[in-house]
Amino acid sequence: MKPLISFDKLLRHYDEMQESEDRILATRAKEILRAQEPYPELRDGFQDIALLEEHKDVIGLILQDSFSLVLSTNEIKAASLPYYDIFFNSSKRFQKIINEAGPGFEPKIRNQEEGIDYIMGCIVILNFHYGFHLDFSRPFFYDIPDATGVMHHYRILYNADFLELIPTKKAKKIEQEDVDELLENPNDVKLWMEKIPPESFISKGFVISNMFDVTAEHSISEIKSELIASDKRGSDNFMNDLQETFRSFFKLPNIKVGFVTYNSKDDQFEPVYGKGVSSFILNGQDAKVCNEALCQQSYSKLIQDNTYFAVADVSKYHEKYNGIDPYGGLEKQGIKSAIFAPIAFNGELLGVLEVVSTKRNVLNGVNAKKLDDVMPYIVSAVVRSKVEEENLIDAIIQNECTSVHSSVYWRFQEEAKYFIKDQLEGRQPSFKEIVFKEVYPLYGQIDIKDSSKARNVAIQRDLMIQLSQINEVLENVLKKYKLPIYEELMFRVDNHLESIKEMLYTNSEQAIFDFVKEEIVPVFSHLKKSDKDISKHILAYEANIDMGTESYYDHRKNYDESVMLINKKLASVIDKKQEVAQEMFPHYFERYKTDGVEHNMYIGASISGKQDFNPLYLNNLRLWQLQVMCEMENTHYALKPELSVPLDATSLILVYNTSLSIRFRMDEKQFDVDGTYNARYEVIKKRIDKSFIKGTNDRLTETGKMAIVYSQKKDELEYLRYIKFLKSKGYFTDNVEIVELEGLQGVSGLKAIRAEILYKSNETPDKTYTYQDLMDTLKE
């Protein structure tokens, strides 16, 4: 529309009124018409905004009846063009609001998107000129700050009684088909301009913009929206936005908002963990017992009665009650008035909303009642947040402790939906067992070689050191107190030392631990109290005792830390690589840390869901597994020089060519092979690493070599092909052998490929080494 500011439609009312029998009314109309008569442009219409200022007095007279002077200081009102931020003849209150907003401030309609004014104009034309009935009503708002910076929100209502639409030669005929097309493309400004071209209509006249302060209602709506928003704790802007909204709500510029949660179990306040969320009750502390955080009155109101507690003058009560909390803590933070609002649900206190100000009396028991309108939304948000937190905790526990792998999660979701449906429909719900049929297994392990032997050596050394130190203390005791009982104790210590000198037996560790605890510790406790000189020797002995194990823990600690570091490094390699493998094709994956790292994988159509399975993906995963295990071997031997105990490792892959079924065992919370025949696979898995090469005393697994166990000739050919390929990539040497395995209990006919692995040095990554090369280098 071509906008023309015109007062013609209003003046036509005065044309009729001058003929009125009411003399006062007629005189008034004639006066207005005489004032306008020298300025025909006020009837004809104009676009030059400068004329508004030039004819300001005459326009004021014309609009005097529409803008009552006696209401000018109360009404927020102005004449304007619709959807344009052009105002004239504003009421005194509106002028004051604009002036307080600051120099150069121009109000803009909120969320006025580019082009929306054109489309809105077209909808007005379709409704009021062409006679269609389109619902285009939507609220319009101005956001205007006051002199203190607090944002106020004003709803705009247009009175278009003095506006008329006049078609020009550019106006087109509009049919229902055209309207249908426009409705299907509500954001296509070009299409709207084609159907209703620019300046095809003249908007002649003006509108009266009536504005209403809806700050309180808007703030409540904003608080509701902000609390409903997801990921509030992780948002950088949540608390800042909420602070601003509360400032608008209370119409106070210097207030802050905080939250604290209530732990009913320990009757203490605890912080809400989130970006920017703080508590003025806690003032940076991790927790505070409620009796210490609150006085008797505030404790009674918040905890027992679940009602507001307002402090209009913090300094007054700080002095009156000798600085006890909450007044002391608030005073230290420069807070002069505060409102604490309990967040309670079904009579149970969940937390406290804290609204504080650095000015005295601005927050008090009177304006605390304003919170009645927002507390239901805050309570609802806190209850929802509590549920979300519990779900998050459950998710973390599941992820860290009893994780359901992402590849099969969809099947658990399906079963959970059936469970909920049965529950809602009144049936007895049960979570049915989940089975995946016809899946192909892959198993691999990197095991720490001779881990039991290394652990026993570590235990043996620690026990010998501890017993020797006990003997040293007893020697000093015997010199001073020549009692036969001390000599007998030394004799028993020597016996224990002699028993573990050559070999550590299964029951030796526990026997020595019990002996020290029951026989030595009580004697040392007595001597510490009775003799200061002996006490020094005992304290020196006790300084070497680990509090966790209650024994000497040095060599075992080195062993445990070495194993833990190996497991951590190896697990991180396969976990990271596994993310890429899942993108190739979804499959079930699980790994375990023992003395080394072992893993199970299952792939098949029943796991992949809607994705079509092809044996090619099984072959791909086998090649991926072989390559990754070589990389894990490299990771281990790069780590070996850093280990306190330089442990070796051996690698093994089991190839099983028959598909099987796996079932999720609800009681054990893990997958296991399903059925008697399929159990053969588990038997092989558990026994294979202890197997020997047929006709020899040599173990299958050997440091520096990858052992691949299989039973079918085609598996042999497949893996020889993979080894040849990976050899070209620098993973293996030419040293590849095929061996037969001694029969295991219930299992026979197994063979194995043993391929020598190439290792890369961190210092010279382009150069490769065999295992023996590495060992020779380490010896140097």
Side-chain angles (χ1 to χ4, degrees):
M1 291 179 284
K2 178 182 178 181
L4 286 179
I5 301 172
S6 169
F7 304 94
D8 182 52
K9 195 171 181 181
L10 174 58
L11 291 169
R12 291 204 300 266
H13 285 285
Y14 287 115
D15 287 339
E16 295 174 7
M17 287 167 60
Q18 70 178 336
E19 306 298 332
S20 172
E21 294 180 1
D22 187 326
R23 184 173 58 82
I24 296 175
L25 203 61
T27 302
R28 174 73 178 149
K30 288 174 183 176
E31 180 186 350
I32 289 171
L33 292 170
R34 274 198 303 272
Q36 177 273 321
E37 192 173 5
Y39 312 106
E41 62 269 28
L42 297 180
R43 274 190 185 266
D44 298 337
F46 58 90
Q47 286 187 302
D48 186 0
I49 303 302
L51 293 177
L52 289 171
E53 183 62 30
E54 186 178 328
H55 301 313
K56 180 180 177 180
D57 294 336
V58 178
I59 292 171
L61 181 63
I62 294 171
L63 297 177
Q64 203 170 65
D65 290 337
S66 302
F67 288 76
S68 173
L69 287 174
V70 295
L71 298 174
S72 186
T73 56
N74 184 32
E75 290 185 336
I76 309 170
K77 194 172 183 179
S80 67
L81 291 180
Y83 315 118
Y84 289 87
D85 299 315
I86 297 170
F87 304 98
F88 54 94
N89 205 67
S90 303
S91 68
K92 289 181 180 178
R93 185 176 174 191
F94 185 55
Q95 288 174 352
K96 183 183 178 185
I97 288 170
I98 297 300
N99 291 338
E100 286 184 351
F105 180 83
E106 295 182 5
K108 300 287 182 184
I109 295 174
R110 186 200 307 162
N111 297 331
Q112 187 80 319
E113 301 154 25
E114 186 179 349
I116 192 70
D117 55 335
Y118 192 92
I119 292 174
M120 288 300 297
C122 290
I123 294 171
V124 170
I125 291 167
L126 290 173
N127 280 358
F128 294 100
H129 180 75
Y130 290 105
F132 293 98
H133 301 287
L134 306 180
D135 184 6
F136 68 100
S137 57
R138 58 174 290 203
F140 292 101
F141 296 92
Y142 286 126
D143 302 321
I144 306 173
D146 65 14
T148 63
V150 173
M151 190 64 70
H152 290 248
H153 309 279
Y154 301 91
R155 173 88 181 266
I156 310 163
L157 293 178
Y158 290 122
N159 181 338
D161 287 350
F162 308 114
L163 188 72
E164 53 190 336
L165 301 177
I166 304 167
T168 67
K169 292 179 181 180
K170 294 181 180 180
K172 294 182 177 182
K173 187 178 180 181
I174 300 289
E175 303 289 350
Q176 184 63 49
E177 292 79 6
D178 298 307
V179 176
D180 292 344
E181 187 180 355
L182 290 171
L183 292 178
E184 289 174 4
N185 300 276
N187 299 313
D188 189 346
V189 179
K190 288 184 179 179
L191 178 64
W192 287 79
M193 293 177 82
E194 179 189 325
K195 300 292 183 183
I196 305 175
E199 298 191 355
S200 56
F201 282 82
I202 295 172
S203 164
K204 186 178 180 184
F206 67 97
V207 296
I208 297 173
S209 297
N210 293 283
M211 287 158 275
F212 302 91
D213 191 337
V214 292
T215 302
E217 294 85 349
H218 182 273
S219 298
I220 292 170
S221 177
E222 284 291 292
I223 289 169
K224 199 182 346 178
S225 299
E226 285 160 4
L227 293 172
I228 288 171
S230 60
D231 193 28
K232 297 185 288 293
R233 296 182 186 208
S235 170
D236 292 313
N237 301 321
F238 169 67
M239 279 308 295
N240 287 335
D241 293 344
L242 197 63
Q243 305 262 28
E244 288 300 322
T245 305
F246 266 94
R247 285 166 189 159
S248 293
F249 180 66
F250 278 98
K251 298 180 182 176
L252 296 170
N254 57 350
I255 65 171
K256 293 181 180 179
V257 179
F259 291 95
V260 65
T261 61
Y262 174 65
N263 181 341
S264 58
K265 181 183 175 183
D266 300 321
D267 192 32
Q268 67 181 22
F269 290 125
E270 296 173 356
V272 175
Y273 296 105
K275 291 185 178 179
V277 184
S278 59
S279 167
F280 302 99
I281 290 176
L282 291 177
N283 191 21
Q285 294 185 46
D286 289 334
K288 208 168 187 179
V289 177
C290 294
N291 279 327
E292 297 175 3
L294 303 173
C295 63
Q296 187 175 355
Q297 185 184 8
S298 56
Y299 184 91
S300 175
K301 284 198 169 189
L302 289 171
I303 310 294
Q304 295 171 350
D305 302 336
N306 293 163
T307 57
Y308 302 138
F309 177 69
V311 188
D313 189 345
V314 170
S315 298
K316 173 184 172 183
Y317 287 94
H318 174 257
E319 189 175 333
K320 182 177 179 180
Y321 293 111
N322 299 318
I324 66 169
D325 284 337
Y327 315 110
L330 296 175
E331 183 76 16
K332 286 178 185 175
Q333 297 171 75
I335 294 165
K336 299 303 179 185
S337 60
I339 298 171
F340 298 124
I343 304 168
F345 182 69
N346 289 338
E348 178 189 351
L349 184 68
L350 304 176
V352 176
L353 166 70
E354 311 163 343
V355 186
V356 302
S357 172
T358 53
K359 289 194 174 182
R360 187 170 65 91
N361 289 332
V362 298
L363 294 171
N364 49 68
V366 175
N367 59 8
K369 296 295 291 180
K370 288 169 68 75
L371 290 171
D372 286 347
D373 296 322
V374 297
M375 287 310 294
Y377 307 117
I378 293 174
V379 170
S380 176
V382 170
V383 170
R384 187 166 66 94
S385 181
K386 197 176 179 70
V387 171
E388 287 174 355
E389 183 177 37
E390 288 171 357
N391 291 340
L392 180 61
I393 290 169
D394 287 344
I396 290 169
I397 291 170
Q398 185 194 67
N399 185 58
E400 296 298 324
C401 307
T402 57
S403 176
V404 174
H405 193 257
S406 58
S407 62
V408 295
Y409 191 68
W410 62 273
R411 183 64 189 86
F412 285 82
Q413 284 180 312
E414 280 184 354
E415 200 55 51
K417 287 175 184 177
Y418 293 135
F419 187 96
I420 293 168
K421 183 182 177 185
D422 288 347
Q423 200 171 40
L424 292 174
E425 293 178 357
R427 293 190 291 272
Q428 183 65 36
S430 63
F431 203 96
K432 297 178 180 63
E433 285 190 323
I434 291 171
V435 179
F436 293 99
K437 296 182 178 180
E438 295 185 8
V439 295
Y440 293 91
L442 295 93
Y443 172 76
Q445 70 170 39
I446 293 186
D447 190 41
I448 294 173
K449 188 183 179 187
D450 297 330
S451 57
S452 298
K453 183 179 177 182
R455 184 187 290 109
N456 285 342
V457 168
I459 295 170
Q460 182 186 26
R461 287 174 179 174
D462 281 344
L463 290 176
M464 290 184 74
I465 292 170
Q466 184 175 3
L467 291 170
S468 298
Q469 289 183 346
I470 290 171
N471 245 349
E472 287 178 13
V473 175
L474 290 173
E475 281 176 5
N476 286 292
V477 174
L478 191 60
K479 284 179 185 176
K480 190 167 186 179
Y481 304 103
K482 301 187 183 300
L483 299 178
I485 191 67
Y486 296 134
E487 191 175 357
E488 192 268 343
L489 268 179
M490 288 181 65
F491 173 75
R492 290 162 69 190
V493 170
D494 287 335
N495 280 342
H496 280 298
L497 268 169
E498 193 63 33
S499 70
I500 62 171
K501 197 171 185 181
E502 299 298 329
M503 184 184 296
L504 184 73
Y505 294 96
T506 307
N507 64 337
S508 297
E509 181 182 8
Q510 187 62 45
I512 293 171
F513 180 81
D514 292 341
F515 166 69
V516 171
K517 187 176 181 181
E518 294 168 12
E519 305 286 344
I520 301 299
V521 171
V523 172
F524 281 8
S525 296
H526 163 69
L527 290 168
K528 270 199 304 183
K529 294 175 184 176
S530 60
D531 192 312
K532 288 185 180 180
D533 292 332
I534 299 297
S535 177
K536 293 176 185 177
H537 296 291
I538 295 171
L539 289 173
Y541 158 75
E542 290 178 344
N544 295 319
I545 299 301
D546 179 73
M547 296 299 292
T549 60
E550 296 182 16
S551 61
Y552 193 81
Y553 184 63
D554 183 33
H555 292 87
R556 274 176 293 174
K557 183 180 179 182
N558 290 338
Y559 172 81
D560 290 342
E561 287 179 350
S562 297
V563 170
M564 186 174 67
L565 187 56
I566 291 169
N567 286 347
K568 184 179 177 182
K569 287 283 187 180
L570 296 184
S572 68
V573 172
I574 196 166
D575 286 350
K576 192 172 182 180
K577 297 287 184 180
Q578 175 60 201
E579 293 173 10
V580 180
Q582 287 295 337
E583 292 175 8
M584 297 176 189
F585 195 82
H587 57 279
Y588 182 78
F589 170 81
E590 61 183 359
R591 61 148 176 81
Y592 307 97
K593 293 179 186 175
T594 51
D595 284 349
V597 175
E598 58 183 291
H599 64 271
N600 289 312
M601 295 186 288
Y602 300 98
I603 188 169
S606 58
I607 288 177
S608 60
K610 294 180 180 179
Q611 291 193 43
D612 291 334
F613 174 73
N614 187 287
L616 173 72
Y617 296 117
L618 170 61
N619 299 336
N620 180 72
L621 194 59
R622 285 176 169 177
L623 175 59
W624 172 88
Q625 180 192 35
L626 184 59
Q627 181 175 335
V628 170
M629 287 194 65
C630 286
E631 291 174 11
M632 291 169 73
E633 278 266 0
N634 265 279
T635 300
H636 171 255
Y637 284 101
L639 180 67
K640 190 173 178 180
E642 302 173 24
L643 300 175
S644 304
V645 181
L647 299 164
D648 280 320
T650 59
S651 296
L652 170 74
I653 289 174
L654 173 61
V655 184
Y656 199 77
N657 214 10
T658 308
S659 65
L660 45 77
S661 297
I662 56 172
R663 181 185 297 270
F664 187 77
R665 308 288 180 188
M666 298 299 293
D667 52 345
E668 297 174 7
K669 297 292 184 289
Q670 66 179 35
F671 278 99
D672 201 354
V673 293
D674 188 41
T676 307
Y677 175 73
N678 293 334
R680 182 174 182 270
Y681 171 71
E682 287 294 330
V683 171
I684 297 172
K685 254 178 32 176
K686 288 173 182 174
R687 297 175 180 170
I688 195 67
D689 65 325
K690 303 291 190 294
S691 60
F692 290 87
I693 296 172
K694 194 170 185 178
T696 72
N697 292 323
D698 296 334
R699 288 279 289 269
L700 164 66
T701 53
E702 185 180 335
T703 50
K705 292 183 179 181
M706 180 72 64
I708 304 162
V709 180
Y710 60 93
S711 60
Q712 304 288 327
K713 183 66 176 178
K714 64 177 182 178
D715 295 331
E716 178 185 302
L717 296 174
E718 181 182 344
Y719 273 86
L720 287 173
R721 194 170 70 244
Y722 297 156
I723 291 168
K724 185 177 180 181
F725 168 70
L726 291 177
K727 179 191 152 195
S728 70
K729 298 280 186 180
Y731 286 89
F732 293 106
T733 70
D734 289 325
N735 186 4
V736 178
E737 60 180 329
I738 296 172
V739 297
E740 285 188 50
L741 303 184
E742 287 284 4
L744 300 171
Q745 187 179 353
V747 181
S748 60
L750 294 179
K751 298 177 76 177
I753 300 170
R754 295 207 303 180
E756 187 176 40
I757 302 167
L758 274 175
Y759 299 92
K760 294 180 180 178
S761 166
N762 289 333
E763 295 177 0
T764 54
D766 296 332
K767 190 175 179 182
T768 55
Y769 303 85
T770 64
Y771 173 76
Q772 193 56 48
D773 292 334
L774 282 173
M775 293 304 100
D776 292 342
T777 304
L778 288 172
K779 287 175 185 175
E780 291 172 8

